[in-house]
Amino acid sequence: MTHSDPDFPEYDDTAIRFLEALWGEGYLSPGGPDEVDRVLDGLSLEGKTVLDIGCGAGGITLHLLKQHKAAHVTGFDVEEPVIRHAIDRAAMSGLTEHASFVQAPPGPLPFKDETFDAVFSKDALLHVADKDALFAEIFRVLKPGGVFAASNWMIGHDGEPSADMKAYIEAEGLSFSMASPARYRAAMEKAGFRDVSSTDRNEWYRLTARAELEKLKGPLFDKVSAAVGEDYVRKNIRTWEAMLKVLDSGEHRPTHLRGWRPE
């Protein structure tokens, strides 16, 4: 979920092809279905209505239906190319009756109060600058007793980013508004969430990102270059190298979040 300039989408068809080659069809963030399952560990979505914020190309939305037995999942994103891919993927999977996809510009969520049993998000909330407004909206669309569960890329502090972090964000070229786990928890509690928790995933992604980089430099290089061009792959190799610096330093801290709207 990004800044949504319709003329210059951050996740265009080229970006989608590249990320799916690295992370799996329908997945635009690391870890694939296994990491989704870790975010949801101990939670049941069976028979429930779910909102997937920043649904991207739809892989997670369909996974929530097929593997977690949700009754209906609404995928929401602000960019048109990813929504188009998600709709096509749902149709190919025969799941259009149980999956719907909504595109809307950044701002208030286009859903009525108390609509969903659960809200999920995977590495999308870092694109939203106003964390307090974000979680007020998530809280609003959750039914009483509903759960919010997410993974998100965060920074280890709320001060000035280091030179290495600034270099990494510049290399990404995306609308990052990173904040600390403490800042996210404070925004959730301010919105009214209870039993808020966070789980650090830095060590996992340090190892995973290093493996991703080796694949990009080696066995995946020719395959992905054929899909998106050699220059695009080399640019992303440089981005991964910049990212590893801030993962190794601990400044880049992927984190799971969870909290409940009281009954």
Side-chain angles (χ1 to χ4, degrees), residues 65-111:
L65 288 168
K66 291 186 287 188
Q67 299 301 319
H68 291 271
K69 297 179 170 42
H72 191 277
V73 182
T74 301
F76 171 74
D77 211 291
V78 301
E79 292 202 337
E80 188 274 337
V82 295
I83 289 290
R84 177 164 33 83
H85 278 257
I87 291 171
D88 290 346
R89 183 161 280 104
M92 288 187 292
S93 300
L95 290 170
T96 53
E97 290 186 12
H98 301 282
S100 56
F101 295 94
V102 176
Q103 180 202 0
L109 293 170
F111 306 105

Side-chain angles (χ1 to χ4, degrees), residues 115-181:
T115 297
F116 301 100
D117 297 306
V119 173
F120 179 90
S121 185
K122 179 74 166 64
D123 304 332
L125 304 183
L126 76 162
H127 296 295
V128 182
D130 190 336
K131 309 304 182 190
D132 290 337
L134 168 67
F135 283 105
E137 280 295 288
I138 293 172
F139 188 87
R140 178 183 66 78
V141 301
L142 266 176
K143 295 177 183 178
V147 65
F148 166 76
S151 169
N152 198 43
W153 285 15
M154 304 188 192
I155 192 169
H157 58 85
D158 291 307
E160 183 75 9
S162 69
D164 282 344
M165 179 60 84
K166 289 178 180 178
Y168 162 59
I169 293 172
E170 183 178 358
E172 284 279 15
L174 301 173
S175 57
F176 282 6
S177 295
M178 297 178 82
S180 70

Side-chain angles (χ1 to χ4, degrees), residues 2-261:
T2 66
H3 72 315
S4 185
D5 183 334
D7 296 322
F8 300 99
E10 294 189 354
Y11 293 88
D12 59 13
D13 289 340
T14 302
I16 293 167
R17 288 196 302 273
F18 172 77
L19 295 174
E20 287 188 330
L22 188 60
W23 290 328
E25 288 190 11
Y27 287 84
L28 306 184
S29 64
D34 290 344
E35 186 67 0
V36 173
D37 293 344
R38 292 184 195 104
V39 174
L40 295 169
D41 184 44
L43 297 176
S44 174
L45 299 182
E46 186 170 357
K48 295 182 177 179
T49 57
V50 183
L51 173 63
D52 178 11
I53 294 180
C55 65
I60 291 173
T61 299
L62 302 183
H63 182 71
L64 299 180
L65 288 168
K66 291 186 287 188
Q67 299 301 319
H68 291 271
K69 297 179 170 42
H72 191 277
V73 182
T74 301
F76 171 74
D77 211 291
V78 301
E79 292 202 337
E80 188 274 337
V82 295
I83 289 290
R84 177 164 33 83
H85 278 257
I87 291 171
D88 290 346
R89 183 161 280 104
M92 288 187 292
S93 300
L95 290 170
T96 53
E97 290 186 12
H98 301 282
S100 56
F101 295 94
V102 176
Q103 180 202 0
L109 293 170
F111 306 105
K112 294 180 180 179
D113 295 358
E114 301 180 7
T115 297
F116 301 100
D117 297 306
V119 173
F120 179 90
S121 185
K122 179 74 166 64
D123 304 332
L125 304 183
L126 76 162
H127 296 295
V128 182
D130 190 336
K131 309 304 182 190
D132 290 337
L134 168 67
F135 283 105
E137 280 295 288
I138 293 172
F139 188 87
R140 178 183 66 78
V141 301
L142 266 176
K143 295 177 183 178
V147 65
F148 166 76
S151 169
N152 198 43
W153 285 15
M154 304 188 192
I155 192 169
H157 58 85
D158 291 307
E160 183 75 9
S162 69
D164 282 344
M165 179 60 84
K166 289 178 180 178
Y168 162 59
I169 293 172
E170 183 178 358
E172 284 279 15
L174 301 173
S175 57
F176 282 6
S177 295
M178 297 178 82
S180 70
R183 176 73 187 91
Y184 274 89
R185 291 194 302 269
M188 290 178 67
E189 290 169 352
K190 180 179 179 181
F193 283 94
R194 296 292 179 265
D195 299 321
V196 174
S197 64
S198 60
T199 303
D200 186 88
R201 297 292 286 157
N202 171 272
E203 184 63 26
W204 165 76
Y205 195 51
R206 283 181 65 204
L207 299 175
T208 300
R210 194 161 267 105
E212 291 167 353
L213 178 59
E214 292 309 309
K215 288 179 183 177
L216 284 175
K217 288 181 173 179
L220 279 180
F221 185 86
D222 289 340
K223 175 186 175 182
V224 181
S225 293
V228 300
E230 188 173 312
D231 288 345
Y232 195 90
V233 178
R234 292 193 185 281
K235 172 193 175 295
N236 277 279
I237 286 173
R238 294 191 294 271
T239 299
W240 254 250
E241 289 171 343
M243 178 171 62
L244 277 169
K245 290 183 180 180
V246 289
L247 283 166
D248 287 343
S249 74
E251 192 171 16
H252 182 4
R253 305 211 71 85
T255 300
H256 293 179
L257 292 169
R258 189 175 293 186
W260 279 262
R261 175 169 174 165

